[in-house]
Amino acid sequence: MVKFNYFGHAAFLLDDGTHRVLVDPFLTGNPATAVSANEVDCGYILLTHAHGDHLGDAPSIAARTGAAIVAIPEVIDVCQAQATGELKVFPMNLGGSLTLPFGKVRMTVAHHSAGVPGGVACGFVIYIGGKVIYYAGDTALFSDMQLIGRKDAIDYAVLPIGDNYTMGLEDAAQAAQWLNTRHVIPVHYDTWPIIAQEVHRYKEVTEAMTRATVCIVAPGETLEL
């Protein structure tokens, strides 16, 4: 069993009972969360890009907990520059896979700016606790999502739906169809007025056009996958 702990915006923690994987830990300054960075414990941190609302507290959490950061080299450099002392890191790049004690991660393409010169944004396919979880990161809709769905039998797709900076409702529904995922967890919406969305409308549209069940998880809630 894997637990999905949602911290609001695009920050979440995957917990298989032994390993804890933190993703895009924007906590300090996140109006959608009541969790402090000092309260979070993890063994691994996955970062999709270097924008502040995704990189967030990664350097300080990694320094405090000894967690290893998994990201592209340019994003790792940003974390190293912000941390006191050396961090444990696993640099990757698009298309690469990495085997870790909890399972495996594969770095996928995302169509978005990176927040650091020379870098690229990414997503992750995460194998943990017998589940396959695709986190798109911040991205536009792109047709190669169909290839991701063919390569990996996705149990849960964590997709941004906020529009303006990422996919909106309609494109995120199309993404769910192309990925052929069994479930969708929408994220990256309602944090600020500019990305306010009707999440129940997204659930209605997506479930009408795909095989997926949309799981709406409020910040602070935990979903058993």
Side-chain angles (χ1 to χ4, degrees):
M1 180 187 69
V2 180
K3 293 182 178 180
F4 175 94
N5 301 288
Y6 186 38
F7 296 144
H9 195 56
F12 61 91
L13 179 79
L14 299 174
D15 185 350
D16 69 358
T18 302
H19 304 285
R20 295 164 64 87
V21 181
L22 182 63
V23 182
D24 282 353
F26 167 49
L27 303 174
T28 302
N30 181 350
T33 190
V35 176
S36 165
N38 291 328
E39 299 175 302
V40 176
D41 188 26
C42 61
Y44 300 89
I45 301 172
L46 308 186
L47 297 176
T48 59
H49 60 294
H51 288 154
D53 62 328
H54 290 260
L55 186 142
D57 298 285
S60 62
I61 294 173
R64 175 177 57 82
T65 64
I69 295 177
V70 180
I72 66 166
E74 291 84 355
V75 171
I76 285 175
D77 288 345
V78 172
C79 293
Q80 292 280 23
Q82 293 183 14
T84 55
E86 286 295 312
L87 301 176
K88 186 176 181 181
V89 298
F90 289 101
M92 296 184 68
N93 221 309
L94 301 179
S97 295
L98 177 66
T99 299
L100 294 167
F102 62 82
K104 185 176 75 171
V105 295
R106 185 164 63 85
M107 186 175 278
T108 62
V109 170
H111 287 267
H112 190 72
S113 55
V116 59
V120 293
C122 73
F124 290 99
V125 176
I126 307 164
Y127 285 74
I128 182 172
K131 301 294 183 182
V132 180
I133 301 156
Y134 168 58
Y135 172 45
D138 280 7
T139 189
L141 178 68
F142 58 98
S143 61
D144 280 355
M145 285 181 173
Q146 296 170 87
L147 300 181
I148 296 173
R150 290 174 192 166
K151 182 175 176 63
D152 299 285
I154 298 169
D155 295 302
Y156 287 83
V158 182
L159 302 178
I161 68 166
D163 213 348
N164 194 77
Y165 296 111
T166 69
M167 298 184 291
L169 300 187
E170 295 81 5
D171 283 358
Q174 181 65 70
Q177 184 182 75
W178 281 346
L179 292 163
N180 195 32
T181 180
R182 294 174 55 226
H183 305 85
V184 177
I185 302 173
V187 298
H188 207 281
Y189 67 97
D190 285 359
T191 315
W192 300 284
I194 197 169
I195 56 171
Q197 291 294 333
E198 297 179 7
V199 68
H200 290 282
R201 174 60 178 160
Y202 175 70
K203 178 178 175 69
E204 177 185 336
V205 170
T206 301
E207 292 183 347
M209 64 182 286
T210 75
R211 70 168 186 154
T213 298
V214 175
C215 305
I216 299 172
V217 186
E221 289 186 346
T222 298
L223 176 68
E224 292 187 359
L225 307 186

